[in-house]
Amino acid sequence: MKKTLTEEFELDTTSRKPVQVIKDYDIFKDKELLDQLRIQIIQNLIDNQAPKNMSLTEYINQEIDRSLEGYDLSNLERDHIFNLIDNEINGYGPITELLDDDHVTEIMVNGPNDVYIEIDGKVVKDDTISFINNDHILRTIERMIHPLGRTIDISNPMVDSHLPDGSRINAIIPPLSLRGPILTIRKFSDQLNSIDDLLRSGTLTPYMARFLEASVLAKLNIIVCGGTGSGKTTVLNVLSNFIPKEERVITIEDAAELKLRQGHVISLETRSTNYENGREVTIRDLVRNSLRMRPDRIIVGEVRGKEAFDMLQAMNTGHEGSLTTLHANGPVDALNRLETMVLMGEMEIPISAIREYIKNAIDLVVQIERLSDGRRKITSISEITGMKNVEIELKEIFAFRRKGVTSSGEVDGEFVLYNYIPRVYEKIVRHGVRSVDDIFDSLKKGKK
């Protein structure tokens, strides 16, 4: 059975210190030659073993020098080759530099020469990145998931997990994927960890930020909704920063992405049926179990199925201040999806009762969107005000209103605060939180 680089090499920090990989291949005389040499050296390292009288680092350096002998390469080109091999052995192959690039937020490997990245909100093809073949992609996936105790093979052709830095990794291989191994990595920017970061990026206004902080302090139950890649987890992380440090917080996720700063945090993660041949443990199982763990707050990374009923039940039975996210195109769609998820639980509950349950459980729905120009905005903060004709009533407190698109392609719009005193403001005041009084003072005076 052929060895892989992951199995054969485990180098330490004494290996040759790499230089930055050169992304502008136009500076090289023969780009195809450099790629051929990279492939040749990697394959040689896989096929051969290091001599017993030679350290692994010495052997790899010797193999690279031997392979480059006779080629008229500049020092820059030689350093480039050395760094590519170092990435292959000590990193994650061709995508190592992408993982280190703070501007790249998503990496999508669709094939050996078909790599896309999201950079500054835009998805583009990266023609400077390539794998040798599908086996090379598979080896890279294995290198990523092996330390996590996960495997991927024909009997387990799909993995959803996370890297040590919190980036979410999803891999799917044949027979489920018809075009070979597919790797998708969602990175989470360290630059968007606080409400100040979101303010600087224009995601929301200072009034909205203060209102959300007051809502978390007052233990309102909040749903953050949006599309794929809109920034729901980022907003959830930021909101969690407002939870008082003395509270006991239980987080529940499929793949751990939340980074809470409080000291009393218990993080729970689901387990698939094929994980170490154990029984599947679902979000629903963990939500139910968390109720026995004396939580002050429950945070569910994403509600997507039968666990919705258990989450609502927790919110309705004294576990205030719970936070979660779900995929939805807007606040109304979010509530409709919650209804559908509860119905998936196969319980004989009338729609009217489900809606009453949702109305009593949820206080705020926060909508975040990734706009056409790549920027992310909180486009709506709405509260549930009651029921009307057996329908849940929502009312917007803040919104982002689009006006059009500028000549440079940026979405033109403005944030608005409606002339409306939300019902949740009374709850905020009852909890002794007075930090948003000035926002609604003028509206209160106007009502008198």
Side-chain angles (χ1 to χ4, degrees):
M1 185 176 179
K2 183 172 285 190
K3 302 183 294 292
T4 70
L5 279 176
T6 302
E7 296 166 338
E8 186 66 23
F9 298 118
E10 293 294 338
L11 295 189
D12 57 27
T13 54
T14 60
S15 59
R16 178 187 292 227
K17 185 177 180 181
V19 295
Q20 184 177 5
V21 167
I22 305 300
K23 300 295 294 249
D24 184 5
Y25 282 81
D26 291 336
I27 69 172
F28 296 137
K29 294 176 292 185
D30 194 333
K31 292 176 285 186
E32 289 186 7
L33 173 62
L34 292 181
D35 202 44
Q36 290 170 7
L37 288 171
R38 171 181 68 114
I39 293 171
Q40 173 189 321
I41 295 168
I42 291 171
Q43 199 60 58
N44 285 345
L45 292 172
I46 292 172
D47 292 339
N48 302 312
Q49 292 184 349
K52 293 181 180 180
N53 62 346
M54 185 181 295
S55 73
L56 197 52
T57 302
E58 290 174 331
Y59 166 64
I60 290 172
N61 287 335
Q62 175 184 284
E63 180 63 28
I64 294 174
D65 286 333
R66 188 187 65 77
S67 298
L68 298 183
E69 188 177 350
Y71 291 99
D72 183 22
L73 300 181
S74 67
N75 289 334
L76 188 61
E77 289 171 322
R78 292 176 66 86
D79 284 340
H80 178 68
I81 290 288
F82 269 95
N83 196 42
L84 289 175
I85 303 305
D86 183 88
N87 284 344
E88 198 66 45
I89 297 168
N90 292 322
Y92 297 122
I95 60 173
T96 302
E97 301 296 324
L98 296 179
L99 288 166
D100 293 336
D101 190 334
D102 291 336
H103 296 288
V104 176
T105 53
E106 193 128 16
I107 304 167
M108 295 152 275
V109 180
N110 302 333
N113 299 293
D114 196 17
V115 178
Y116 287 80
I117 61 173
E118 182 187 82
I119 184 165
D120 296 330
K122 294 285 188 179
V123 176
V124 296
K125 187 173 184 182
D126 191 335
D127 292 321
T128 68
I129 302 295
S130 67
F131 289 80
I132 298 172
N133 49 34
N134 281 335
D135 285 340
H136 190 192
I137 299 175
L138 183 57
R139 287 200 302 270
T140 302
I141 294 171
E142 289 171 341
R143 187 172 183 84
M144 288 179 162
I145 66 175
H146 179 72
L148 309 173
R150 303 294 178 96
T151 59
I152 191 165
D153 50 37
I154 293 177
S155 62
N156 177 29
M158 185 167 56
V159 169
D160 192 33
S161 192
H162 55 88
L163 295 175
D165 67 354
S167 298
R168 186 173 69 199
I169 171 175
N170 179 274
I172 185 166
I173 65 173
L176 299 185
S177 167
L178 302 183
R179 59 181 299 177
I182 305 296
L183 174 64
T184 309
I185 300 172
R186 171 79 55 80
K187 294 171 59 184
F188 295 99
S189 175
D190 290 334
Q191 300 173 354
L192 294 175
N193 281 332
S194 71
I195 198 71
D196 290 336
D197 297 327
L198 295 186
L199 285 168
R200 280 191 290 269
S201 65
T203 303
L204 76 174
T205 68
Y207 272 8
M208 295 164 72
R210 286 167 52 203
F211 177 76
L212 289 174
E213 179 180 10
S215 299
V216 174
L217 290 173
K219 288 199 154 189
L220 302 188
N221 292 323
I222 303 173
I223 288 180
V224 179
C225 62
T228 301
S230 59
K232 298 185 296 298
T233 303
T234 296
V235 171
L236 194 63
N237 261 319
V238 169
L239 293 182
S240 72
N241 290 339
F242 300 135
I243 297 175
K245 62 181 180 180
E246 66 272 10
E247 294 190 16
R248 177 176 169 87
V249 184
I250 310 290
T251 68
I252 300 169
E253 301 173 85
D254 274 329
E257 299 169 354
L258 297 174
K259 299 177 181 177
L260 273 67
R261 298 175 180 176
Q262 291 80 356
H264 200 171
V265 176
I266 308 298
S267 300
L268 306 179
E269 189 176 64
T270 61
R271 183 178 69 184
S272 61
T273 52
N274 44 42
Y275 181 76
E276 296 180 350
N277 299 316
R279 182 182 73 83
E280 180 183 21
V281 179
T282 66
I283 290 280
R284 186 173 199 181
D285 295 327
L286 295 178
V287 170
R288 288 176 170 179
N289 189 78
S290 70
L291 300 179
R292 306 182 187 101
M293 299 174 68
R294 200 261 175 223
D296 289 311
R297 309 257 187 167
I298 299 172
I299 302 178
V300 178
E302 182 180 348
V303 172
R304 61 179 66 170
K306 299 176 182 179
E307 68 275 2
F309 177 77
D310 302 280
M311 184 71 189
L312 292 172
Q313 191 173 40
M315 292 175 173
N316 269 314
T317 54
H319 295 90
E320 297 178 307
S322 296
L323 306 170
T324 190
T325 76
L326 60 80
H327 282 276
N329 295 322
V332 174
D333 185 39
L335 299 185
N336 290 337
R337 286 210 64 204
L338 269 179
E339 285 182 24
T340 303
M341 291 174 191
V342 173
L343 290 172
M344 289 168 61
E346 300 174 356
M347 283 181 264
E348 299 295 330
I349 305 176
I351 288 292
S352 58
I354 293 174
R355 290 174 180 170
E356 188 72 26
Y357 219 55
I358 292 172
K359 187 255 304 184
N360 292 333
I362 306 299
D363 294 303
L364 293 179
V365 181
V366 178
Q367 174 79 15
I368 183 163
E369 295 182 36
R370 181 175 59 179
L371 306 182
S372 58
D373 59 7
R375 294 182 299 169
R376 291 171 170 84
K377 301 280 187 187
I378 290 180
T379 54
S380 174
I381 300 177
S382 306
E383 71 166 346
I384 293 179
T385 59
M387 302 281 290
K388 186 176 182 180
N389 299 326
V390 202
E391 296 286 339
I392 299 174
E393 278 195 307
L394 275 167
K395 198 156 186 179
E396 275 190 327
I397 304 167
F398 298 90
F400 178 77
R401 290 286 169 256
R402 298 173 178 82
K403 296 179 179 179
V405 180
T406 67
S407 57
S408 62
E410 289 189 358
V411 174
D412 184 24
E414 63 178 0
F415 289 102
V416 296
L417 165 63
Y418 287 100
N419 186 24
Y420 162 68
I421 301 175
R423 295 188 180 187
V424 293
Y425 174 56
E426 297 177 11
K427 188 173 182 179
I428 291 172
V429 172
R430 284 201 306 271
H431 274 78
V433 180
R434 308 309 301 255
S435 57
V436 292
D437 285 359
D438 62 307
I439 297 176
F440 301 108
D441 270 348
S442 59
L443 299 180
K444 286 189 290 185
K445 291 173 183 176
K447 277 196 161 188
K448 290 181 180 179

